[in-house]
């Protein structure tokens, strides 16, 4: 089981020092499948730090391009989350009936047309999903038209039936702020701009992630679809609030460990979208936390990351 801890480290580290680390653990804790928790935490932290340093040491692309790529991935995830249940049901031809996301009828699938509602060809959530998969594989030229279709769908949500008008009236993702629905164009336009920047650059320079990074996405779709969790569920909001805070802490840790500013870009992009949603729709806030607390949680990481990067650089120069 100790080998699972090595997954926190980059492949280059595992090939060079993986066997040595496993031997040290076996010698220090003979007969134990896992080291004690006091050892697991620093091991995982060291592995994540090694991954961050490996990213920075890779000079195949400028830091700002990698930052824009990370921002586009974060925005694609943010756009996909409200429709996890929707896409899962559509893919498996499951009619959720009364558990549908913000729909009054079960006839929102082409194979289950109900009275008084128009069928649609595709669920809106397929667009950010295509964006996410394409960006993960470094194919910005595929992600760009999907992001542009998100902008079009959001701008024509009262008239277009390709993705179904009800789908874009649906409940948005709350997390650290007000709901962000498909017809809130700030998210889709920002994602489209990021994809355009990546597409203009040589796509061969973009980082390519393994398909195994999609396993958490499939798992989230399964959980949302099977347990009928929607964006207004308290469990949904608390869980994603925790994940967002964990992501902010990870960005700070990576910046503090490397002194690199690339993680500032995705944090700034998400903070911009979140703050815009709160300012534009103050009545849409779910009051799971005071608005001021949420704004502080969104804005405070930006100077914190900048200070962490500067301190690391100053320490490197002093050393």
């Amino acid at each position: 089981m100790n080998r699972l801890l090595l997954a926190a480290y980059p492949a280059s580290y595992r090939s060079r020092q993986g066997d040595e680390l496993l031997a040290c653990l076996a010698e220090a804790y003979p007969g134990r499948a896992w080291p004690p928790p006091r050892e697991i935490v620093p091991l995982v932290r060291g592995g994540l730090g090694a991954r961050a340093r490996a990213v920075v040491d890779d000079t195949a692309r400028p830091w700002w391009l990698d930052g824009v790529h990370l921002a586009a991935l974060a925005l694609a995830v943010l756009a996909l989350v409200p429709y996890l249940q929707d896409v899962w049901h559509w893919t498996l031809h499951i009619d959720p009936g009364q558990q549908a996301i913000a729909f009054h009828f079960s006839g929102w699938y082409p194979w289950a047309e109900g009275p008084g509602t128009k069928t649609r060809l595709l669920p809106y959530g397929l667009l950010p999903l295509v964006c996410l998969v394409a960006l993960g594989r470094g194919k910005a030229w595929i992600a760009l038209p999907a992001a542009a279709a998100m902008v079009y769908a959001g701008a024509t949500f009262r008239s277009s039936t390709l993705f179904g008008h009800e789908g874009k009236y649906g409940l948005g993702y709350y997390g650290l702020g007000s709901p962000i629905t498909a017809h809130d164009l700030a998210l889709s336009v920002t994602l489209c701009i990021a994809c355009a920047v990546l597409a203009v650059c040589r796509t061969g320079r973009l980082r390519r992630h393994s398909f195994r990074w999609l396993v958490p996405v499939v798992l989230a779709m399964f959980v949302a679809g099977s347990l009928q969790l929607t964006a207004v569920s308290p469990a949904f909001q608390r869980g994603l609030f925790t994940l967002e805070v964990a992501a902010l802490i990870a960005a700070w840790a990576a910046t503090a460990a490397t002194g690199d500013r690339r993680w500032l870009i995705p944090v700034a992009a998400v903070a911009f979208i979140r703050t815009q949603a709160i300012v534009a729709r103050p009545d849409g806030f779910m009051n799971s936390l005071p608005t001021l607390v949420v704004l502080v949680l969104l804005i405070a990481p930006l100077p914190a990351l900048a200070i962490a990067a500067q301190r690391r650089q100053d320490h490197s120069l002093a050393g």
Side-chain angles (χ1 to χ4, degrees):
M1 297 298 288
N2 286 335
R3 289 189 176 275
L4 290 177
L5 295 175
L6 288 180
Y9 291 82
S12 58
Y13 183 96
R14 295 197 299 268
S15 62
R16 293 194 313 267
Q17 298 173 266
D19 292 339
E20 180 182 350
L21 179 58
L22 291 174
C24 290
L25 289 174
E27 181 180 353
Y29 307 102
R32 293 191 56 155
W34 287 91
R38 68 176 183 275
E39 293 292 341
I40 292 178
V41 173
L43 281 172
V44 173
R45 184 171 61 234
L48 297 179
R51 281 187 176 274
R53 287 188 290 272
V55 168
V56 174
D57 292 340
D58 184 1
T59 58
R61 61 198 59 81
W63 68 270
W64 63 266
L65 182 63
D66 211 18
V68 173
H69 193 183
L70 289 170
L73 285 168
L75 294 177
V77 170
L78 192 61
L80 172 63
V81 165
Y83 305 98
L84 290 172
Q85 174 186 322
D86 190 13
V87 174
W88 179 261
H89 287 164
W90 183 86
T91 302
L92 298 183
H93 290 212
I94 298 172
D95 186 353
Q98 297 302 315
Q99 301 295 332
I101 302 177
F103 290 92
H104 301 294
F105 307 96
S106 62
W108 44 292
Y109 290 108
W111 54 84
E113 183 175 0
T117 184
K118 294 181 179 180
T119 58
R120 59 181 178 165
L121 178 63
L122 298 169
Y124 174 82
L126 282 182
L127 294 177
L129 179 60
V130 169
C131 237
L132 178 63
V133 175
L135 288 169
R137 298 299 295 168
K139 307 294 185 182
W141 57 274
I142 297 178
L144 179 57
M150 289 173 61
V151 177
Y152 172 79
T156 61
F157 76 99
R158 292 187 182 277
S159 56
S160 174
T161 59
L162 178 62
F163 300 102
H165 64 282
E166 289 180 317
K168 294 179 289 298
Y169 278 118
L171 301 169
Y173 169 36
Y174 294 85
L176 286 177
S178 293
I180 303 173
T181 54
H183 55 274
D184 294 333
L185 295 181
L187 173 56
S188 55
V189 168
T190 305
L191 175 59
C192 190
I193 292 173
C195 291
V197 171
L198 297 174
V200 168
C201 300
R202 288 185 300 167
T203 55
R205 302 174 68 187
L206 299 181
R207 193 179 303 278
R208 298 182 64 183
H209 300 280
S210 168
F211 282 113
R212 69 175 180 269
W213 288 101
L214 294 175
V215 171
V217 177
V218 176
L219 180 61
M221 287 184 178
F222 169 76
V223 171
S226 300
L227 300 182
Q228 307 295 350
L229 291 176
T230 63
V232 294
S233 166
F236 191 101
Q237 291 185 44
R238 284 193 293 265
L240 291 177
F241 176 86
T242 302
L243 288 177
E244 287 197 343
V245 171
L248 290 173
I249 294 174
W252 173 84
T255 303
T258 62
D260 193 89
R261 290 184 169 84
R262 75 187 65 209
W263 290 281
L264 259 170
I265 298 177
V267 172
V270 174
F272 166 72
I273 297 300
R274 287 266 184 238
T275 304
Q276 183 274 336
I278 294 174
V279 173
R281 300 183 61 189
D283 297 336
F285 189 68
M286 290 297 291
N287 295 321
S288 55
L289 282 174
T291 304
L292 181 60
V293 173
V294 174
L295 288 174
V296 169
L297 288 172
L298 290 173
I299 303 302
L302 298 176
L305 263 66
I307 293 171
Q310 189 61 46
R311 285 184 174 179
R312 179 67 181 182
Q313 291 180 359
D314 292 343
H315 179 74
S316 300
L317 292 175

